Amino acid sequence: MYKLNGVMYSKEQIREKVIELAKEIEKDYAGEELLVVAILKGASVFCADLIREINLDVNMDFMCVSSYGNSTTSSGTVKIIKDLDVDIKNKNVLIVEDIIDSGQTLSSLVKALNTRKPKSLRLCTLLDKPQRRASDIKVDYVGFVIEDKFIVGYGIDYAEKYRNLPYIGIVEDI
Ligand code: IMP
Ligand code: MG
């Protein structure tokens, strides 16, 4: 049995961090156009808050990906369930994730998107669990670095539950 057990980051702490990240992004892309790509479903809440704090010409698109089982196919391959609507050739693309764990999902996504020749491709994640990293990816904007705990809320689920929590909570085995 799993149970929600404690708050890791409050609504206020998340809000502060989102503004901090947005201002950094705004500074780095000053004078440029930016396509922000939210990875569904988890990053949708974070991304919606983030883009509203970025004072630039921002376009938004979505992708939904799922990792293949690691035993049947070569590791680090993603299946694209919903692809981008727009062509990213010569565009500044910022991928927005909720949480990076092994990094497999993002590393294969980056490979796939780089073949489309964007002008630039960077990664932003609200949460990072570097302890379990299995592929070396460079994440350009990181909100919180956390220990290896299972967290939920602010878009992130456990079995599709808890996405609507306004804070980030910890789920524990009881
Ligand atoms: P990875 O980096 O390829 O291992 O996968 C990252 C994905 O795993 C995230 O986008 C989440 O969907 C999921 N994930 C990893 N850690 C957690 C967690 O603590 N809570 C909920 N989902 C998680
Ligand atoms: Mg995800």
Side-chain angles (χ1 to χ4, degrees), residues 67 97-106 129 132 146 149-152 156-158:
S67 318
E97 247 301 20
D98 48 2
I99 179 164
I100 303 178
D101 191 15
S102 73
Q104 305 277 36
T105 315
L106 269 192
K129 279 197 229 178
R132 306 216 314 158
I146 62 168
K149 291 212 160 125
F150 200 84
I151 55 91
V152 292
I156 302 166
D157 73 309
Y158 169 66

PDB file of all heavy atoms in Angstrom, residues 67 97-106 129 132 146 149-152 156-158, ligand 1:
ATOM      1  N   SER A  67       8.737   5.190 -22.733  1.00  0.00           N
ATOM      2  CA  SER A  67       9.959   4.405 -22.936  1.00  0.00           C
ATOM      3  C   SER A  67       9.570   2.986 -23.307  1.00  0.00           C
ATOM      4  O   SER A  67       8.606   2.444 -22.781  1.00  0.00           O
ATOM      5  CB  SER A  67      10.786   4.349 -21.665  1.00  0.00           C
ATOM      6  OG  SER A  67      10.805   5.592 -21.056  1.00  0.00           O
ATOM      7  N   GLU A  97      10.450  19.192 -18.766  1.00  0.00           N
ATOM      8  CA  GLU A  97      10.088  17.920 -18.117  1.00  0.00           C
ATOM      9  C   GLU A  97       9.698  18.177 -16.667  1.00  0.00           C
ATOM     10  O   GLU A  97      10.077  19.187 -16.074  1.00  0.00           O
ATOM     11  CB  GLU A  97      11.298  16.977 -18.143  1.00  0.00           C
ATOM     12  CG  GLU A  97      11.161  15.737 -18.994  1.00  0.00           C
ATOM     13  CD  GLU A  97      10.015  14.793 -18.657  1.00  0.00           C
ATOM     14  OE1 GLU A  97       9.029  15.175 -18.004  1.00  0.00           O
ATOM     15  OE2 GLU A  97      10.118  13.625 -19.063  1.00  0.00           O
ATOM     16  N   ASP A  98       8.965  17.239 -16.112  1.00  0.00           N
ATOM     17  CA  ASP A  98       8.626  17.324 -14.696  1.00  0.00           C
ATOM     18  C   ASP A  98       9.782  16.830 -13.831  1.00  0.00           C
ATOM     19  O   ASP A  98      10.235  17.499 -12.919  1.00  0.00           O
ATOM     20  CB  ASP A  98       7.343  16.517 -14.396  1.00  0.00           C
ATOM     21  CG  ASP A  98       7.355  15.112 -15.004  1.00  0.00           C
ATOM     22  OD1 ASP A  98       8.359  14.712 -15.643  1.00  0.00           O
ATOM     23  OD2 ASP A  98       6.349  14.402 -14.841  1.00  0.00           O
ATOM     24  N   ILE A  99      10.267  15.623 -14.152  1.00  0.00           N
ATOM     25  CA  ILE A  99      11.300  15.021 -13.319  1.00  0.00           C
ATOM     26  C   ILE A  99      12.195  14.121 -14.161  1.00  0.00           C
ATOM     27  O   ILE A  99      11.712  13.413 -15.045  1.00  0.00           O
ATOM     28  CB  ILE A  99      10.657  14.256 -12.127  1.00  0.00           C
ATOM     29  CG1 ILE A  99      11.719  13.592 -11.241  1.00  0.00           C
ATOM     30  CG2 ILE A  99       9.629  13.237 -12.572  1.00  0.00           C
ATOM     31  CD1 ILE A  99      11.185  13.179  -9.875  1.00  0.00           C
ATOM     32  N   ILE A 100      13.484  14.187 -13.923  1.00  0.00           N
ATOM     33  CA  ILE A 100      14.428  13.320 -14.624  1.00  0.00           C
ATOM     34  C   ILE A 100      14.995  12.329 -13.622  1.00  0.00           C
ATOM     35  O   ILE A 100      15.476  12.717 -12.561  1.00  0.00           O
ATOM     36  CB  ILE A 100      15.561  14.127 -15.286  1.00  0.00           C
ATOM     37  CG1 ILE A 100      14.967  15.144 -16.246  1.00  0.00           C
ATOM     38  CG2 ILE A 100      16.513  13.183 -16.018  1.00  0.00           C
ATOM     39  CD1 ILE A 100      15.990  16.022 -16.913  1.00  0.00           C
ATOM     40  N   ASP A 101      14.889  11.063 -13.998  1.00  0.00           N
ATOM     41  CA  ASP A 101      15.305   9.984 -13.119  1.00  0.00           C
ATOM     42  C   ASP A 101      16.505   9.288 -13.767  1.00  0.00           C
ATOM     43  O   ASP A 101      17.639   9.723 -13.601  1.00  0.00           O
ATOM     44  CB  ASP A 101      14.093   9.075 -12.920  1.00  0.00           C
ATOM     45  CG  ASP A 101      14.273   8.051 -11.832  1.00  0.00           C
ATOM     46  OD1 ASP A 101      15.203   8.204 -11.025  1.00  0.00           O
ATOM     47  OD2 ASP A 101      13.487   7.094 -11.772  1.00  0.00           O
ATOM     48  N   SER A 102      16.269   8.219 -14.509  1.00  0.00           N
ATOM     49  CA  SER A 102      17.386   7.562 -15.193  1.00  0.00           C
ATOM     50  C   SER A 102      17.931   8.432 -16.322  1.00  0.00           C
ATOM     51  O   SER A 102      19.096   8.336 -16.688  1.00  0.00           O
ATOM     52  CB  SER A 102      16.937   6.214 -15.767  1.00  0.00           C
ATOM     53  OG  SER A 102      16.112   6.416 -16.894  1.00  0.00           O
ATOM     54  N   GLY A 103      17.064   9.259 -16.865  1.00  0.00           N
ATOM     55  CA  GLY A 103      17.473  10.125 -17.965  1.00  0.00           C
ATOM     56  C   GLY A 103      17.304   9.477 -19.335  1.00  0.00           C
ATOM     57  O   GLY A 103      17.548  10.106 -20.354  1.00  0.00           O
ATOM     58  N   GLN A 104      16.885   8.225 -19.354  1.00  0.00           N
ATOM     59  CA  GLN A 104      16.745   7.491 -20.623  1.00  0.00           C
ATOM     60  C   GLN A 104      15.736   8.156 -21.563  1.00  0.00           C
ATOM     61  O   GLN A 104      15.991   8.290 -22.754  1.00  0.00           O
ATOM     62  CB  GLN A 104      16.241   6.053 -20.387  1.00  0.00           C
ATOM     63  CG  GLN A 104      17.057   5.228 -19.441  1.00  0.00           C
ATOM     64  CD  GLN A 104      18.260   4.575 -20.096  1.00  0.00           C
ATOM     65  OE1 GLN A 104      18.875   5.161 -20.981  1.00  0.00           O
ATOM     66  NE2 GLN A 104      18.602   3.393 -19.658  1.00  0.00           N
ATOM     67  N   THR A 105      14.601   8.525 -20.988  1.00  0.00           N
ATOM     68  CA  THR A 105      13.537   9.108 -21.803  1.00  0.00           C
ATOM     69  C   THR A 105      14.055  10.349 -22.525  1.00  0.00           C
ATOM     70  O   THR A 105      13.934  10.473 -23.747  1.00  0.00           O
ATOM     71  CB  THR A 105      12.332   9.513 -20.921  1.00  0.00           C
ATOM     72  OG1 THR A 105      12.051   8.453 -20.010  1.00  0.00           O
ATOM     73  CG2 THR A 105      11.109   9.820 -21.750  1.00  0.00           C
ATOM     74  N   LEU A 106      14.646  11.241 -21.762  1.00  0.00           N
ATOM     75  CA  LEU A 106      15.097  12.496 -22.363  1.00  0.00           C
ATOM     76  C   LEU A 106      16.273  12.316 -23.304  1.00  0.00           C
ATOM     77  O   LEU A 106      16.332  12.986 -24.331  1.00  0.00           O
ATOM     78  CB  LEU A 106      15.481  13.491 -21.269  1.00  0.00           C
ATOM     79  CG  LEU A 106      14.368  14.398 -20.801  1.00  0.00           C
ATOM     80  CD1 LEU A 106      14.932  15.517 -19.955  1.00  0.00           C
ATOM     81  CD2 LEU A 106      13.604  15.007 -21.977  1.00  0.00           C
ATOM     82  N   LYS A 129      16.608  13.761 -10.141  1.00  0.00           N
ATOM     83  CA  LYS A 129      17.076  12.713  -9.221  1.00  0.00           C
ATOM     84  C   LYS A 129      18.366  12.142  -9.786  1.00  0.00           C
ATOM     85  O   LYS A 129      18.343  11.101 -10.453  1.00  0.00           O
ATOM     86  CB  LYS A 129      16.040  11.578  -9.176  1.00  0.00           C
ATOM     87  CG  LYS A 129      14.865  11.802  -8.283  1.00  0.00           C
ATOM     88  CD  LYS A 129      14.197  10.445  -8.036  1.00  0.00           C
ATOM     89  CE  LYS A 129      12.725  10.518  -8.265  1.00  0.00           C
ATOM     90  NZ  LYS A 129      12.046   9.230  -8.085  1.00  0.00           N
ATOM     91  N   ARG A 132      19.993   8.172  -9.767  1.00  0.00           N
ATOM     92  CA  ARG A 132      19.637   7.022 -10.603  1.00  0.00           C
ATOM     93  C   ARG A 132      19.923   7.250 -12.089  1.00  0.00           C
ATOM     94  O   ARG A 132      19.445   6.512 -12.945  1.00  0.00           O
ATOM     95  CB  ARG A 132      18.160   6.690 -10.395  1.00  0.00           C
ATOM     96  CG  ARG A 132      17.833   6.478  -8.915  1.00  0.00           C
ATOM     97  CD  ARG A 132      16.824   5.427  -8.718  1.00  0.00           C
ATOM     98  NE  ARG A 132      15.703   5.564  -9.639  1.00  0.00           N
ATOM     99  CZ  ARG A 132      14.920   4.560  -9.956  1.00  0.00           C
ATOM    100  NH1 ARG A 132      15.132   3.377  -9.441  1.00  0.00           N
ATOM    101  NH2 ARG A 132      13.907   4.754 -10.775  1.00  0.00           N
ATOM    102  N   ILE A 146      16.803  16.400  -6.037  1.00  0.00           N
ATOM    103  CA  ILE A 146      16.231  15.664  -4.895  1.00  0.00           C
ATOM    104  C   ILE A 146      16.849  14.284  -4.731  1.00  0.00           C
ATOM    105  O   ILE A 146      17.461  13.750  -5.645  1.00  0.00           O
ATOM    106  CB  ILE A 146      14.688  15.523  -5.024  1.00  0.00           C
ATOM    107  CG1 ILE A 146      14.301  14.713  -6.273  1.00  0.00           C
ATOM    108  CG2 ILE A 146      14.016  16.881  -5.042  1.00  0.00           C
ATOM    109  CD1 ILE A 146      12.837  14.293  -6.301  1.00  0.00           C
ATOM    110  N   LYS A 149      13.523   9.645  -3.887  1.00  0.00           N
ATOM    111  CA  LYS A 149      12.227   9.371  -3.241  1.00  0.00           C
ATOM    112  C   LYS A 149      11.161   9.449  -4.314  1.00  0.00           C
ATOM    113  O   LYS A 149      11.347  10.140  -5.318  1.00  0.00           O
ATOM    114  CB  LYS A 149      11.943  10.450  -2.198  1.00  0.00           C
ATOM    115  CG  LYS A 149      12.858  10.372  -1.003  1.00  0.00           C
ATOM    116  CD  LYS A 149      12.137  10.834   0.249  1.00  0.00           C
ATOM    117  CE  LYS A 149      12.843  10.315   1.470  1.00  0.00           C
ATOM    118  NZ  LYS A 149      13.224  11.273   2.427  1.00  0.00           N
ATOM    119  N   PHE A 150      10.047   8.773  -4.105  1.00  0.00           N
ATOM    120  CA  PHE A 150       8.971   8.842  -5.080  1.00  0.00           C
ATOM    121  C   PHE A 150       8.053  10.006  -4.743  1.00  0.00           C
ATOM    122  O   PHE A 150       7.466  10.062  -3.670  1.00  0.00           O
ATOM    123  CB  PHE A 150       8.174   7.537  -5.144  1.00  0.00           C
ATOM    124  CG  PHE A 150       7.413   7.433  -6.423  1.00  0.00           C
ATOM    125  CD1 PHE A 150       8.025   6.963  -7.576  1.00  0.00           C
ATOM    126  CD2 PHE A 150       6.088   7.851  -6.495  1.00  0.00           C
ATOM    127  CE1 PHE A 150       7.338   6.907  -8.785  1.00  0.00           C
ATOM    128  CE2 PHE A 150       5.396   7.801  -7.701  1.00  0.00           C
ATOM    129  CZ  PHE A 150       6.025   7.327  -8.839  1.00  0.00           C
ATOM    130  N   ILE A 151       7.972  10.956  -5.644  1.00  0.00           N
ATOM    131  CA  ILE A 151       7.207  12.160  -5.356  1.00  0.00           C
ATOM    132  C   ILE A 151       6.003  12.285  -6.315  1.00  0.00           C
ATOM    133  O   ILE A 151       5.984  11.685  -7.393  1.00  0.00           O
ATOM    134  CB  ILE A 151       8.092  13.427  -5.379  1.00  0.00           C
ATOM    135  CG1 ILE A 151       8.832  13.550  -6.709  1.00  0.00           C
ATOM    136  CG2 ILE A 151       9.121  13.405  -4.261  1.00  0.00           C
ATOM    137  CD1 ILE A 151       8.127  14.316  -7.702  1.00  0.00           C
ATOM    138  N   VAL A 152       5.047  13.056  -5.879  1.00  0.00           N
ATOM    139  CA  VAL A 152       3.822  13.288  -6.671  1.00  0.00           C
ATOM    140  C   VAL A 152       3.388  14.749  -6.526  1.00  0.00           C
ATOM    141  O   VAL A 152       3.877  15.471  -5.667  1.00  0.00           O
ATOM    142  CB  VAL A 152       2.649  12.389  -6.200  1.00  0.00           C
ATOM    143  CG1 VAL A 152       2.893  10.929  -6.502  1.00  0.00           C
ATOM    144  CG2 VAL A 152       2.337  12.602  -4.719  1.00  0.00           C
ATOM    145  N   ILE A 156       2.639  15.706 -11.394  1.00  0.00           N
ATOM    146  CA  ILE A 156       3.297  14.389 -11.348  1.00  0.00           C
ATOM    147  C   ILE A 156       2.402  13.376 -10.631  1.00  0.00           C
ATOM    148  O   ILE A 156       1.823  13.686  -9.591  1.00  0.00           O
ATOM    149  CB  ILE A 156       4.662  14.518 -10.636  1.00  0.00           C
ATOM    150  CG1 ILE A 156       5.530  15.547 -11.389  1.00  0.00           C
ATOM    151  CG2 ILE A 156       5.363  13.169 -10.543  1.00  0.00           C
ATOM    152  CD1 ILE A 156       6.735  16.006 -10.610  1.00  0.00           C
ATOM    153  N   ASP A 157       2.334  12.175 -11.200  1.00  0.00           N
ATOM    154  CA  ASP A 157       1.365  11.193 -10.701  1.00  0.00           C
ATOM    155  C   ASP A 157       1.982   9.980 -10.032  1.00  0.00           C
ATOM    156  O   ASP A 157       3.153   9.667 -10.215  1.00  0.00           O
ATOM    157  CB  ASP A 157       0.501  10.688 -11.856  1.00  0.00           C
ATOM    158  CG  ASP A 157       1.278   9.742 -12.778  1.00  0.00           C
ATOM    159  OD1 ASP A 157       2.387  10.109 -13.207  1.00  0.00           O
ATOM    160  OD2 ASP A 157       0.797   8.625 -13.026  1.00  0.00           O
ATOM    161  N   TYR A 158       1.134   9.304  -9.281  1.00  0.00           N
ATOM    162  CA  TYR A 158       1.380   7.912  -8.922  1.00  0.00           C
ATOM    163  C   TYR A 158       0.125   7.182  -9.392  1.00  0.00           C
ATOM    164  O   TYR A 158      -0.972   7.478  -8.892  1.00  0.00           O
ATOM    165  CB  TYR A 158       1.586   7.725  -7.408  1.00  0.00           C
ATOM    166  CG  TYR A 158       1.574   6.263  -7.017  1.00  0.00           C
ATOM    167  CD1 TYR A 158       2.592   5.427  -7.459  1.00  0.00           C
ATOM    168  CD2 TYR A 158       0.539   5.723  -6.271  1.00  0.00           C
ATOM    169  CE1 TYR A 158       2.580   4.070  -7.164  1.00  0.00           C
ATOM    170  CE2 TYR A 158       0.520   4.361  -5.968  1.00  0.00           C
ATOM    171  CZ  TYR A 158       1.544   3.545  -6.420  1.00  0.00           C
ATOM    172  OH  TYR A 158       1.521   2.208  -6.134  1.00  0.00           O
TER     173      TYR A 158
HETATM  174  P1  IMP B   1      13.579   8.550 -16.806  1.00  0.00           P
HETATM  175  O1  IMP B   1      14.391   9.786 -16.551  1.00  0.00           O
HETATM  176  O2  IMP B   1      13.647   8.095 -18.226  1.00  0.00           O
HETATM  177  O3  IMP B   1      13.934   7.439 -15.847  1.00  0.00           O
HETATM  178  O4  IMP B   1      12.038   8.809 -16.572  1.00  0.00           O
HETATM  179  C1  IMP B   1      11.553   9.954 -16.007  1.00  0.00           C
HETATM  180  C2  IMP B   1      10.061   9.805 -15.908  1.00  0.00           C
HETATM  181  O5  IMP B   1       9.732   8.828 -14.904  1.00  0.00           O
HETATM  182  C3  IMP B   1       9.414  11.097 -15.434  1.00  0.00           C
HETATM  183  O6  IMP B   1       9.056  11.926 -16.513  1.00  0.00           O
HETATM  184  C4  IMP B   1       8.214  10.570 -14.672  1.00  0.00           C
HETATM  185  O7  IMP B   1       7.152  10.334 -15.556  1.00  0.00           O
HETATM  186  C5  IMP B   1       8.692   9.258 -14.096  1.00  0.00           C
HETATM  187  N1  IMP B   1       9.178   9.422 -12.701  1.00  0.00           N
HETATM  188  C6  IMP B   1      10.446   9.356 -12.261  1.00  0.00           C
HETATM  189  N2  IMP B   1      10.519   9.568 -10.922  1.00  0.00           N
HETATM  190  C7  IMP B   1       9.261   9.780 -10.514  1.00  0.00           C
HETATM  191  C8  IMP B   1       8.675  10.097  -9.230  1.00  0.00           C
HETATM  192  O8  IMP B   1       9.340  10.221  -8.176  1.00  0.00           O
HETATM  193  N3  IMP B   1       7.327  10.254  -9.216  1.00  0.00           N
HETATM  194  C9  IMP B   1       6.552  10.136 -10.326  1.00  0.00           C
HETATM  195  N4  IMP B   1       7.056   9.880 -11.546  1.00  0.00           N
HETATM  196  C10 IMP B   1       8.392   9.700 -11.644  1.00  0.00           C
END
